[in-house]
Amino acid sequence: ATLPAILVFVMAPLAALLSRLSFTRTIPRKLLVGMLGTALSMALLAVAAHLSGGKPTSAAWLLGSFVLLGVGEVLVAPLLQLSLCLLAPPARHGIMVAVFFGALAAGYHLAGRVGAYWPTHPKPLFFGGLACLALLGTGLSVLSSRWLPAMPEQ
């Protein structure tokens, strides 16, 4: 449980470097890269589970997944709070932060429900499904960003 937290701190400079690239200058694009990192982390575990055939495999697969997930977390979590505050009127910033944490709590609850399928489903299918869910969220985010007002570069 400590390794992902440490990786978030290690990934912060990488996120700052990614922010300077021309592709990731806007908030929606940073969110896109972060969400794709999350999807790739689950896809990597799906590949590892498929190749291992249910036998123990190298921890490098898990470490690679943690790195991709860390990049995703560093890019997405703070930018979602910022985006909500940029889109809301100043008098509603506190409410938007509460909405963010409420959505986070709902996501943790949903993750617990999805985790209940772990013992009953093949591992490649489980991780592949999580990758598809992350890609679905990415697609919905891209579609919804078309209707949002332009946000400043960060």
Side-chain angles (χ1 to χ4, degrees):
T2 308
L3 182 61
I6 291 170
L7 283 174
V8 167
F9 284 111
V10 171
M11 291 293 131
L14 177 62
L17 179 65
L18 281 173
S19 296
R20 295 179 187 190
L21 298 175
S22 61
F23 177 73
T24 57
R25 289 220 186 256
T26 63
I27 291 173
R29 286 188 177 171
K30 287 178 190 174
L31 291 172
L32 173 69
V33 170
M35 293 174 79
L36 286 175
T38 301
L40 286 173
S41 75
M42 293 297 120
L44 184 66
L45 290 177
V47 169
H50 177 72
L51 293 177
S52 73
K55 297 177 183 151
T57 187
S58 170
W61 291 100
L62 186 60
L63 182 62
S65 174
F66 279 159
V67 167
L68 289 168
L69 197 57
V71 168
E73 186 174 348
V74 166
L75 287 173
V76 171
L79 288 176
L80 284 178
Q81 287 180 358
L82 175 65
S83 298
L84 287 173
C85 288
L86 286 174
L87 294 172
R92 303 272 190 243
H93 284 182
I95 292 171
M96 289 296 107
V97 171
V99 165
F100 171 78
F101 283 112
L104 199 60
Y108 286 140
H109 175 74
L110 182 61
R113 299 289 217 134
V114 170
Y117 292 107
W118 173 259
T120 59
H121 285 72
K123 303 318 174 227
L125 178 65
F126 183 81
F127 289 121
L130 291 177
C132 289
L133 280 175
L135 287 174
L136 176 66
T138 303
L140 291 174
S141 177
V142 168
L143 286 175
S144 68
S145 69
R146 295 176 187 215
W147 293 286
L148 296 175
M151 289 190 236
E153 291 186 2
Q154 293 294 321

